[in-house]
Amino acid sequence: MRIDIITIFPEAFSPLDLSIIGRAREAGFLDLQIHNLRDFTTDRHRKVDDKSFGGGVGMVMMVAPVAKALEKAREVNPKAEIIMLSPAGQIFNQELARKLSRKKGLILICGHYEGMDERIADLCDRQISIGDYVLSAGETAALVVVDAVTRLLPGVLPEGAAEQDSFSDNLLDWPHYTRPARWRGVGVPEVLLSGDHKKIAAWRQKTAEERTKKLRPDLWKKYDHQKTGRTLP
Ligand code: 9D3
């Protein structure tokens, strides 16, 4: 997949050189291009923001440089879905990550300052928020979206891992243990040492479900609905 990012902080995306995403890029599953918004300004100061019409504190990101950057990104990524990261967007989740992973490409616009000129929103297909907390800008949110989407691209994870993930969508993990079998007097569940793979699978499924019910009743509702089709109160 081709992903283009429009930002005033290209350096913020160095985490995408690492680990699974870094390997996905080297292997050609992800083609990531970062565009510096300041390269699309026309004035001597490379200005991307201005005072808010109507007054008030804080600057507003201007529409013209974003529109120019978008035109450039669309030349190379013509079928991409255009997404603005914004606190007012739809809340990101695994379902949306899956949907985006099936798109031809993505163009992500990272906001700054008190906000974006509303006419930027008119240039976008959707707006995404990563949750109800205030970030200083859109870059960290874009990192989250690229990470969640990239690991779902065909070939990025080892065979079967994505299917395993989808099977456990809306379910918390079961508890994991590794050596030593006894550490400072604390052991591990006997069943995991039994070698009985059927029993182990059943234990894992049961503890994952119990944990989800207890710690994340909101997720449990979704999981149960997805599995049984019934709607819990
Ligand atoms: C009403 C004042 N603030 C809105 C909550 C202004 C404001 C704060 C922070 C405007 C922009 C920002 C920068 N945040 C993002 O650009 C952002 C974000 C976020 O803050 N939380 C969760 N997801 C996202 S996606 C982009």
Side-chain angles (χ1 to χ4, degrees):
M1 174 184 280
R2 165 89 189 209
I3 301 183
D4 287 76
I5 299 178
I6 298 170
T7 173
I8 58 168
F9 283 124
E11 311 90 323
F13 293 91
S14 50
L16 300 179
D17 297 340
L18 308 173
S19 189
I20 294 179
I21 312 300
R23 261 178 281 132
R25 293 173 71 184
E26 276 164 25
F29 298 119
L30 172 67
D31 179 5
L32 185 75
Q33 296 299 328
I34 315 280
H35 306 268
N36 188 340
L37 185 62
R38 293 197 192 277
D39 294 342
F40 300 90
T41 55
T42 47
D43 67 308
R44 204 161 62 82
H45 297 105
R46 316 225 302 157
K47 196 169 144 75
V48 294
D49 62 321
D50 208 335
K51 290 172 296 203
S52 185
F53 277 134
V57 288
M59 301 294 270
V60 174
M61 195 174 258
M62 295 153 70
V63 62
V66 174
K68 280 204 187 124
L70 258 180
E71 275 157 26
K72 167 79 181 294
R74 290 185 63 172
E75 270 173 34
V76 281
N77 199 354
K79 296 208 164 146
E81 173 143 331
I82 301 171
I83 300 170
M84 176 159 83
L85 286 311
S86 157
Q90 146 188 34
I91 306 261
F92 191 60
N93 60 18
Q94 190 65 16
E95 189 188 343
L96 184 50
R98 276 190 199 291
K99 193 164 164 183
L100 297 181
S101 73
R102 293 190 286 262
K103 302 278 177 186
K104 292 257 161 34
L106 303 176
I107 299 175
L108 306 179
I109 304 170
C110 305
H112 262 265
Y113 316 109
E114 259 324 281
M116 317 279 279
D117 189 305
E118 191 60 27
R119 291 166 291 187
I120 297 172
D122 301 337
L123 305 173
C124 301
D125 297 310
R126 77 167 79 227
Q127 299 182 42
I128 294 177
S129 160
I130 60 163
D132 292 334
Y133 33 80
V134 181
L135 301 172
S136 50
E139 277 76 7
T140 43
L143 285 171
V144 167
V145 171
V146 173
D147 186 344
V149 168
T150 301
R151 55 187 298 294
L152 294 174
L153 298 175
V156 171
L157 292 185
E159 193 77 41
E163 288 72 33
Q164 168 110 30
D165 265 14
S166 106
F167 189 66
S168 54
D169 266 6
N170 299 317
L171 196 61
L172 299 182
D173 246 351
W174 53 75
H176 299 274
Y177 298 88
T178 185
R179 289 186 288 183
R182 181 158 290 275
W183 178 78
R184 295 188 180 172
V186 186
V188 311
E190 205 56 51
V191 58
L192 298 179
L193 310 174
S194 71
D196 183 339
H197 296 294
K198 258 184 130 162
K199 239 168 102 182
I200 292 171
W203 179 87
R204 285 177 166 167
Q205 183 67 21
K206 181 172 70 82
T207 51
E209 291 185 358
E210 283 169 356
R211 253 181 167 191
T212 309
K213 239 185 270 192
K214 177 153 177 271
L215 301 175
R216 291 293 305 276
D218 58 320
L219 276 189
W220 176 252
K221 232 179 180 170
K222 283 206 225 173
Y223 176 78
D224 194 68
H225 174 74
Q226 174 187 301
K227 215 175 68 165
T228 65
R230 81 186 142 189
T231 316
L232 294 172

